Coordinates of all heavy atoms in Angstrom, one line a residue:
R1 N 203.2 39.6 95.2 CA 203.6 38.1 95.2 C 204.1 37.8 96.6 O 203.8 36.8 97.3 CB 204.4 37.8 94.2 CG 204.7 36.2 94.2 CD 205.6 35.9 93.0 NE 206.0 34.5 93.1 CZ 206.8 33.9 92.3 NH1 207.4 34.5 91.4 NH2 207.2 32.6 92.5
E2 N 205.1 38.6 97.0 CA 205.8 38.4 98.3 C 204.8 38.5 99.4 O 204.8 37.7 100.4 CB 207.0 39.4 98.4 CG 208.1 39.2 97.6 CD 209.1 40.3 97.6 OE1 208.9 41.3 98.2 OE2 210.2 40.1 97.0
T3 N 203.9 39.3 99.4 CA 202.8 39.5 100.4 C 202.1 38.3 100.5 O 201.8 37.7 101.5 CB 201.9 40.7 100.2 OG1 202.8 41.8 100.2 CG2 200.9 40.9 101.2
L4 N 201.5 37.9 99.2 CA 200.8 36.6 99.1 C 201.4 35.4 99.7 O 200.9 34.5 100.3 CB 200.2 36.4 97.8 CG 199.2 37.4 97.2 CD1 198.9 37.2 95.8 CD2 198.0 37.3 98.0
E5 N 202.7 35.2 99.3 CA 203.5 34.1 99.9 C 203.6 34.1 101.4 O 203.5 33.0 101.9 CB 204.8 34.1 99.1 CG 204.9 33.8 97.7 CD 206.2 33.8 97.0 OE1 207.1 34.4 97.6 OE2 206.3 33.4 96.0
R6 N 203.7 35.4 102.0 CA 203.7 35.4 103.4 C 202.5 35.0 104.0 O 202.5 34.2 105.0 CB 204.3 36.7 103.9 CG 205.7 37.0 103.8 CD 206.1 38.3 104.6 NE 205.3 39.4 104.1 CZ 205.9 40.2 103.1 NH1 206.8 40.0 102.5 NH2 205.1 41.3 102.8
E7 N 201.4 35.5 103.5 CA 200.0 35.2 104.0 C 199.7 33.6 103.8 O 199.2 33.0 104.7 CB 199.1 35.9 103.2 CG 199.0 37.5 103.6 CD 198.1 38.3 102.8 OE1 197.3 37.6 102.0 OE2 198.1 39.5 103.0
L8 N 200.2 33.1 102.7 CA 199.9 31.6 102.4 C 200.7 30.8 103.5 O 200.2 29.8 103.9 CB 200.3 31.3 101.0 CG 200.1 29.8 100.6 CD1 198.6 29.5 100.7 CD2 200.6 29.6 99.2
A9 N 202.0 31.2 103.7 CA 202.8 30.4 104.7 C 202.1 30.5 106.1 O 202.2 29.5 106.8 CB 204.1 31.0 104.8
Q10 N 201.4 31.5 106.3 CA 200.8 31.6 107.8 C 199.4 30.8 107.7 O 199.1 30.4 108.8 CB 200.4 33.2 108.1 CG 201.6 33.9 108.2 CD 201.3 35.4 108.4 OE1 200.2 35.9 108.1 NE2 202.4 36.3 108.7
T11 N 198.8 30.8 106.6 CA 197.5 30.0 106.7 C 197.5 28.6 106.1 O 196.6 28.0 106.2 CB 196.4 30.9 105.9 OG1 197.0 30.8 104.5 CG2 196.2 32.2 106.4
E12 N 198.7 28.1 105.7 CA 198.7 26.9 105.1 C 198.6 25.8 106.2 O 199.1 25.9 107.3 CB 200.2 26.6 104.5 CG 200.3 25.6 103.5 CD 201.6 25.7 102.8 OE1 201.9 26.6 102.0 OE2 202.4 24.7 102.9
T13 N 197.7 24.8 105.8 CA 197.4 23.6 106.8 C 198.3 22.5 106.4 O 198.7 22.3 105.3 CB 196.0 23.4 106.7 OG1 195.6 22.9 105.4 CG2 195.1 24.6 107.1
E14 N 198.5 21.6 107.4 CA 199.2 20.4 107.3 C 198.4 19.4 106.4 O 197.2 19.4 106.7 CB 199.6 19.9 108.6 CG 200.6 20.6 109.4 CD 202.1 20.6 108.6 OE1 202.4 19.6 108.2 OE2 202.6 21.7 108.6
F15 N 199.0 18.5 105.7 CA 198.3 17.5 105.0 C 198.0 16.5 105.9 O 198.9 16.0 106.8 CB 199.2 17.0 103.9 CG 198.7 15.7 103.2 CD1 197.7 15.8 102.4 CD2 199.3 14.5 103.5 CE1 197.2 14.7 101.7 CE2 198.7 13.3 102.9 CZ 197.8 13.3 102.1
D16 N 196.7 15.9 105.9 CA 196.2 15.0 106.8 C 196.0 13.7 106.0 O 195.1 13.7 105.2 CB 195.1 15.3 107.6 CG 194.5 14.5 108.6 OD1 195.3 13.4 108.7 OD2 193.6 14.6 109.3
P17 N 196.8 12.6 106.2 CA 196.6 11.4 105.4 C 195.1 10.8 105.6 O 194.7 10.2 104.7 CB 197.6 10.4 105.9 CG 198.5 11.2 106.7 CD 197.9 12.5 107.1
K18 N 194.5 11.2 106.8 CA 193.1 10.6 107.0 C 192.1 11.2 105.9 O 191.2 10.7 105.7 CB 192.7 11.0 108.4 CG 193.5 10.2 109.4 CD 192.9 10.6 110.9 CE 193.7 9.8 111.8 NZ 193.2 10.1 113.2
D19 N 192.4 12.4 105.3 CA 191.6 12.9 104.3 C 191.4 12.1 103.1 O 190.4 12.1 102.4 CB 192.1 14.3 103.8 CG 191.9 15.5 104.9 OD1 191.1 15.2 105.8 OD2 192.5 16.4 104.7
L20 N 192.3 11.3 102.9 CA 192.4 10.3 101.6 C 191.9 8.9 102.0 O 191.8 8.1 101.1 CB 193.7 10.2 101.1 CG 194.4 11.5 100.6 CD1 195.9 11.4 100.1 CD2 193.5 12.3 99.5
E21 N 191.6 8.7 103.3 CA 191.1 7.4 103.7 C 189.7 7.3 103.0 O 188.8 8.1 103.1 CB 190.9 7.5 105.2 CG 191.6 6.3 105.8 CD 191.5 6.3 107.4 OE1 190.9 7.2 107.9 OE2 192.1 5.4 108.0
H22 N 189.4 6.1 102.5 CA 188.2 5.8 101.8 C 187.3 5.1 102.9 O 187.7 4.4 103.7 CB 188.4 4.7 100.7 CG 187.4 4.7 99.8 ND1 186.1 3.8 100.0 CD2 187.0 5.2 98.6 CE1 185.3 3.9 99.1 NE2 185.8 4.8 98.1
G23 N 186.1 5.5 102.8 CA 185.1 5.1 103.9 C 183.6 5.4 103.3 O 183.3 5.9 102.4
T24 N 182.7 5.3 104.4 CA 181.4 5.6 104.1 C 180.8 6.6 105.2 O 181.2 6.5 106.4 CB 180.4 4.3 104.3 OG1 181.1 3.3 103.4 CG2 179.1 4.5 103.9
L25 N 180.0 7.5 104.7 CA 179.5 8.5 105.6 C 178.0 8.0 106.0 O 177.2 7.7 105.1 CB 179.4 9.9 104.9 CG 179.0 11.1 105.7 CD1 180.0 11.3 106.7 CD2 178.9 12.4 104.8
F26 N 177.8 8.1 107.3 CA 176.4 7.5 107.8 C 175.8 8.7 108.5 O 176.4 9.5 109.3 CB 176.7 6.4 108.7 CG 177.1 5.1 108.2 CD1 178.4 4.7 108.0 CD2 176.0 4.3 107.7 CE1 178.7 3.6 107.4 CE2 176.4 3.0 107.1 CZ 177.8 2.7 106.9
I27 N 174.5 8.9 108.4 CA 173.7 9.6 109.2 C 173.2 8.7 110.3 O 172.5 7.7 110.0 CB 172.6 10.3 108.5 CG1 173.0 11.2 107.4 CG2 171.7 11.1 109.5 CD1 171.9 11.7 106.5
T28 N 173.6 9.1 111.6 CA 173.2 8.0 112.6 C 171.9 8.8 113.4 O 171.2 7.9 114.1 CB 174.3 8.0 113.7 OG1 174.8 9.3 114.1 CG2 175.5 7.2 113.0
A29 N 171.7 10.0 113.3 CA 170.5 10.6 113.7 C 170.1 11.7 112.9 O 170.9 12.7 112.6 CB 170.6 11.0 115.2
V30 N 168.9 11.8 112.4 CA 168.5 12.8 111.5 C 168.2 14.2 112.1 O 168.7 15.3 111.6 CB 167.1 12.5 110.8 CG1 166.5 13.6 110.0 CG2 167.3 11.2 110.0
G31 N 167.9 14.3 113.4 CA 167.7 15.5 114.1 C 166.4 16.2 113.7 O 165.5 15.5 113.2
P32 N 166.2 17.5 114.2 CA 164.8 18.1 114.1 C 164.5 18.5 112.7 O 163.2 18.7 112.5 CB 165.0 19.2 115.0 CG 166.5 19.6 114.9 CD 167.2 18.3 114.8
Q33 N 165.4 18.6 111.8 CA 164.9 19.1 110.5 C 164.9 18.0 109.4 O 165.6 18.0 108.5 CB 166.0 20.1 109.9 CG 166.0 21.3 111.0 CD 166.8 22.5 110.4 OE1 166.6 22.8 109.1 NE2 167.5 23.1 111.2
K34 N 163.9 17.0 109.6 CA 163.9 15.8 108.8 C 163.6 16.3 107.4 O 164.2 15.6 106.5 CB 162.8 15.0 109.3 CG 162.6 13.6 108.7 CD 161.5 12.9 109.2 CE 161.3 11.5 108.5 NZ 160.3 10.7 109.1
L35 N 162.7 17.2 107.1 CA 162.4 17.6 105.6 C 163.7 18.1 104.9 O 164.0 17.7 103.8 CB 161.3 18.6 105.6 CG 160.8 18.9 104.2 CD1 160.3 17.6 103.5 CD2 159.7 19.8 104.3
K36 N 164.4 18.9 105.6 CA 165.7 19.5 104.9 C 166.8 18.3 104.7 O 167.5 18.4 103.8 CB 166.3 20.6 105.9 CG 165.4 21.8 105.8 CD 166.1 23.1 106.4 CE 165.1 24.3 106.3 NZ 165.8 25.4 106.9
I37 N 166.8 17.5 105.8 CA 167.8 16.3 105.6 C 167.3 15.4 104.5 O 168.0 15.0 103.5 CB 167.8 15.5 106.9 CG1 168.4 16.2 108.0 CG2 168.6 14.1 106.7 CD1 169.8 16.8 107.9
A38 N 166.0 15.3 104.3 CA 165.5 14.5 103.2 C 165.7 15.2 101.7 O 166.1 14.5 100.8 CB 163.9 14.4 103.3
Q39 N 165.8 16.6 101.7 CA 166.1 17.2 100.6 C 167.7 17.0 100.2 O 168.1 16.9 99.0 CB 165.9 18.7 100.7 CG 164.4 19.1 100.7 CD 164.1 20.4 101.1 OE1 165.0 21.2 101.6 NE2 162.9 20.9 100.8

């Protein structure tokens, strides 16, 4: 447990309020793999 707590403290990331921001995800360019994007 002590080892895991030390490792977690080293890898823990800061909370970013932007992660909770509501919005819309847009594809602005499909790129070369149109069929995979369609899937």
Side-chain angles (χ1 to χ4, degrees):
R1 180 178 175 187
E2 290 172 353
T3 303
L4 287 173
E5 286 175 353
R6 279 194 303 275
E7 289 174 4
L8 181 61
Q10 293 172 354
T11 60
E12 203 170 291
T13 59
E14 291 292 319
F15 170 74
D16 188 359
K18 291 182 181 180
D19 286 345
L20 299 180
E21 232 176 4
H22 196 279
T24 304
L25 188 64
F26 288 90
I27 299 174
T28 56
V30 173
Q33 298 191 41
K34 185 177 178 179
L35 187 57
K36 288 186 180 184
I37 297 294
Q39 290 172 343

